[in-house]
Amino acid sequence: MYHILQISGYVFRALGLKMKILITFTFSALLIGFVILLSFSSNFNYQLPDATLNGSTETEPLHHDKLLGGLLKPGFDEASCESRYTQSLLYRKPSPHKPSPYLVSKLRSYELLHKRCGPGTKSYKKATKNLGHDDDDDDEDQVRTSDKGCRYVVWVATDYGLGNRMISMVSLFLYALLTERIMLVDQRKDIISDLFCEPFPDTSWLLPLDFPLIGQIGSYYREHSRCYGTMLKNHAINSTTVPPLHLYLHLIHDYRDLDKTFFCEQNQNFIDNVPWLVVKSNLYFAPSLWLIPSFQTELIKLFPRKDTVFHHLTRYLFHPTNQVWGMVTSTYNANLSKADEVLGLQIRVFSTPSGYFQHVMDQVVSCTQREKLLPKTPKVKAVLVASLHPEYSDELRNVFSERTSSTGEIIEVYQPSGERVQQTDEKLHDQRALAEIYLLSLTDKLVTSRRSTFGYVAHGLGGLKPWILYKPDKNVPPDPPCVRARSMEPCFIRAPLRGCQAKKIKTAPFLRHCEDWNPGIKLVDAPDRFWWWWW
């Protein structure tokens, strides 16, 4: 600006008085307009219209795409779900990971299928007509042949935390895409509708409360007579058995070897002919779907970058309700928006009893210092802490206040909540948890606790490779205190390491053992060099 004024002065001395007045007036008007525009953009800079919204190839000024590269479909009522489009425009940096055209096309096809077969449609009514009476062979044949185009997979809520539920829902939705099934989610506890907007246009993903099996599915467990593993154990089904109208799949962390045969190709051939699948899970089992030969070609086309599965599908599926989004935006605007850089710290202690421990605090500080996550610069830094225990943020304020006085940098520590005890299925608790997951996903760098599904969702949603805290040994901070994740994918902590997939897990270049749990596996990006090992 100084050079502009200096050049303007030279021009003024070379021109007459009238010209000087004219130029001065013009320049002043332009300068005032520029200042106003700068101020406007500083406060509302992400509210500029999306130039690519209607398929235009023009470059949008801020390079934000409210449809996330085609993941989302335009036409939703924006006021009813403010987070659906504005989360990408107002708060999140553009993701460098773009969805493949094939994934975008697949999602549009799924939406049409869900609209045709979803709750309230003729197809749904036909599919559920005799579902509660599937011991009658005549009824089974009638229902099975009535509408072969509509098959379903029902996600049933478990008593595990929000992170577990979200990673299992993403896994099941991927399975629905691969098998052309309609995914419906259990809403009996009203938690889902309090947390998320409907993801599919002109239809609902909520399982109707008059679903014929609604009184039974809550009691389904691994020993239930309808459980696939139990039926195999009791020799109730084999390769020649007529598939039943519905099966229960037990994919929770305590599942048995027979339950794990769900991931075997020959078992998928049988399961594929079952119209209704009821699933309980608290696992991110997507990595093992990559090891089923009949799915692999499709998965490669859907996700050329194999470590983007969770990132793309969470951004497509999960849009916080307006109530939750209000929690996100109020915290972000009040505490994080003015920072030059935001560091997220997610601290979860799994010991019994849980609480504040000095060795955990020392480990967190050691990790941030060793990895230079808060470099010594004059910038304003914000540290967002997500933990059940407020003592961690209190101590961090003391630690960073001492550092601030010695280096001149400004570090502010914020913790939205500290409820001390996880309260699954408590509406407000789960809403706060979801808000904190989203806030963590908006950070520039992220440190998470090992084996924490809360942290998995946050870094996957944000497209971040986090630093993961190692497990302390005998109350002593580990050395090194943390490790950088190989990918932004969650860990499948209870992968089927034996059986039909054992050899493939060892040789697949797109799978690695998890940094925070060696028996677990996770997807990493790798070139398509693995066709040969199927043969």
Side-chain angles (χ1 to χ4, degrees):
M1 186 64 72
Y2 170 79
H3 295 294
I4 293 175
L5 293 173
Q6 189 178 49
I7 293 171
S8 299
Y10 296 150
V11 175
F12 291 159
R13 286 193 292 272
L15 298 174
L17 179 61
K18 292 183 179 180
M19 186 62 71
K20 288 171 62 177
I21 295 173
L22 177 61
I23 292 177
T24 302
F25 175 82
T26 303
F27 179 80
S28 299
L30 289 173
L31 181 61
I32 293 171
F34 175 77
V35 171
I36 293 175
L37 179 61
L38 183 64
S39 175
F40 179 85
S41 65
S42 175
N43 291 287
F44 304 96
N45 59 352
Y46 294 133
Q47 299 185 31
L48 297 175
D50 184 356
T52 63
L53 181 57
N54 296 314
S56 170
T57 57
E58 296 178 10
T59 302
E60 199 231 339
L62 293 170
H63 307 289
H64 277 71
D65 175 15
K66 69 186 292 182
L67 300 182
L68 305 180
L71 277 180
L72 306 184
K73 185 178 180 179
F76 281 94
D77 177 15
E78 297 193 26
S80 65
C81 185
E82 296 172 355
S83 68
R84 191 187 313 276
Y85 300 129
T86 57
Q87 66 162 307
S88 59
L89 287 172
L90 292 169
Y91 297 96
R92 194 180 300 287
K93 295 178 181 179
S95 173
H97 310 290
K98 303 304 178 185
S100 68
Y102 190 74
L103 174 59
V104 171
S105 174
K106 190 77 171 181
L107 291 173
R108 299 295 86 83
S109 297
Y110 175 85
E111 291 163 356
L112 292 175
L113 182 64
H114 198 112
K115 185 177 180 179
R116 179 170 70 86
C117 300
T121 63
K122 291 182 179 179
S123 297
Y124 175 83
K125 292 175 182 177
K126 288 181 180 179
T128 57
K129 183 177 179 181
N130 294 311
L131 187 57
H133 309 282
D134 53 316
D135 291 330
D136 187 319
D137 292 338
D138 292 334
D139 287 341
E140 286 196 18
D141 291 338
Q142 178 184 349
V143 175
R144 189 174 293 106
T145 58
S146 63
D147 195 335
K148 292 184 178 180
C150 294
R151 296 174 304 144
Y152 302 83
V153 57
V154 177
W155 177 88
V156 180
T158 62
D159 294 329
Y160 298 95
L162 180 60
N164 296 88
R165 295 182 178 189
M166 293 176 73
I167 62 173
S168 65
M169 290 173 74
V170 169
S171 302
L172 202 61
F173 180 64
L174 178 60
Y175 182 72
L177 285 181
L178 294 171
T179 57
E180 297 184 344
R181 290 181 179 270
I182 305 303
M183 186 178 85
L184 299 175
V185 300
D186 181 17
Q187 62 163 328
R188 287 170 302 150
K189 298 179 181 179
D190 288 332
I191 295 299
I192 296 300
S193 58
D194 290 329
L195 296 176
F196 304 111
C197 305
E198 291 275 4
F200 312 131
D202 305 316
T203 185
S204 176
W205 69 339
L206 299 177
L207 182 70
L209 295 176
D210 61 356
F211 178 62
L213 304 177
I214 200 71
Q216 304 175 32
I217 57 178
S219 63
Y220 283 0
Y221 201 61
R222 65 183 187 180
E223 301 297 338
H224 195 278
S225 61
R226 275 289 173 179
C227 179
Y228 181 57
T230 298
M231 296 180 79
L232 289 175
K233 177 182 176 181
N234 296 335
H235 306 289
I237 53 177
N238 54 49
S239 59
T240 62
T241 303
V242 175
L245 286 181
H246 85 279
L247 276 178
Y248 166 60
L249 301 174
H250 187 81
L251 301 179
I252 296 178
H253 66 276
D254 64 351
Y255 61 164
R256 304 156 298 182
D257 287 343
L258 285 173
D259 298 312
K260 296 174 185 178
T261 61
F262 165 78
F263 298 108
C264 298
E265 180 75 33
Q266 63 270 26
N267 296 68
Q268 278 297 319
N269 293 333
F270 177 85
I271 293 171
D272 188 61
N273 292 312
V274 178
W276 286 88
L277 301 177
V278 178
V279 180
K280 286 184 180 179
S281 179
N282 60 351
L283 301 169
Y284 183 64
F285 58 81
S288 280
L289 297 180
W290 281 79
L291 297 175
I292 299 174
S294 59
F295 293 164
Q296 192 185 89
T297 300
E298 185 82 348
L299 283 165
I300 290 172
K301 291 192 294 183
L302 289 169
F303 303 100
R305 275 205 58 148
K306 298 156 191 69
D307 61 347
T308 61
V309 176
F310 192 78
H311 179 58
H312 290 321
L313 294 186
T314 49
R315 294 191 304 155
Y316 173 76
L317 277 182
F318 299 127
H319 309 287
T321 60
N322 286 353
Q323 185 173 359
V324 177
W325 190 242
M327 298 177 184
V328 175
T329 56
S330 61
T331 299
Y332 187 92
N333 292 334
N335 301 319
L336 307 178
S337 60
K338 295 181 176 63
D340 296 298
E341 184 175 303
V342 180
L343 170 65
L345 299 178
Q346 185 263 329
I347 305 172
R348 179 69 189 272
V349 179
F350 289 100
S351 63
T352 302
S354 179
Y356 174 81
F357 297 98
Q358 187 59 46
H359 67 274
V360 175
M361 184 73 257
D362 295 340
Q363 180 182 2
V364 172
V365 174
S366 176
C367 177
T368 63
Q369 293 177 345
R370 182 168 182 150
E371 300 299 328
K372 299 180 180 179
L373 300 181
L374 290 172
K376 295 181 179 180
T377 67
K379 293 183 178 180
V380 177
K381 308 282 183 176
V383 179
L384 175 71
V385 181
S387 175
L388 292 173
H389 306 283
E391 293 89 346
Y392 288 105
S393 58
D394 293 340
E395 182 61 24
L396 283 168
R397 288 189 186 94
N398 297 330
V399 172
F400 292 144
S401 64
E402 296 175 2
R403 176 174 173 172
T404 297
S405 61
S406 62
T407 65
E409 60 188 332
I410 301 175
I411 302 176
E412 298 288 348
V413 179
Y414 305 101
Q415 181 170 344
S417 67
E419 301 187 10
R420 299 192 180 278
V421 178
Q422 182 170 309
Q423 304 169 50
T424 303
D425 290 337
E426 290 291 333
K427 174 182 174 180
L428 187 56
H429 174 87
D430 281 348
Q431 288 181 325
R432 287 173 178 163
L434 180 59
E436 291 187 17
I437 285 174
Y438 265 80
L439 285 166
L440 287 172
S441 78
L442 299 175
T443 60
D444 299 293
K445 298 175 183 177
L446 183 59
V447 178
T448 64
S449 299
R450 65 186 292 271
R451 293 184 59 188
S452 171
T453 56
F454 192 100
Y456 290 165
V457 177
H459 69 67
L461 184 63
L464 302 169
K465 291 182 180 180
W467 283 263
I468 303 174
L469 298 169
Y470 281 120
K471 180 182 178 180
D473 184 25
K474 298 179 180 179
N475 298 335
V476 176
D479 185 19
C482 57
V483 62
R484 186 76 184 272
R486 297 185 185 96
S487 79
M488 52 193 171
E489 281 284 301
C491 177
F492 183 8
I493 62 173
R494 286 289 187 268
L497 301 180
R498 300 193 299 267
C500 62
Q501 293 195 345
K503 183 178 179 180
K504 299 170 187 175
I505 287 176
K506 295 178 180 179
T507 57
F510 54 88
L511 289 178
R512 295 288 186 275
H513 285 288
C514 305
E515 303 87 353
D516 53 337
W517 182 245
N518 190 57
I521 59 174
K522 69 187 302 183
L523 289 164
V524 298
D525 189 43
D528 298 330
R529 303 193 307 263
F530 47 92
W531 293 100
W532 59 268
W533 49 265
W534 293 115
W535 310 103

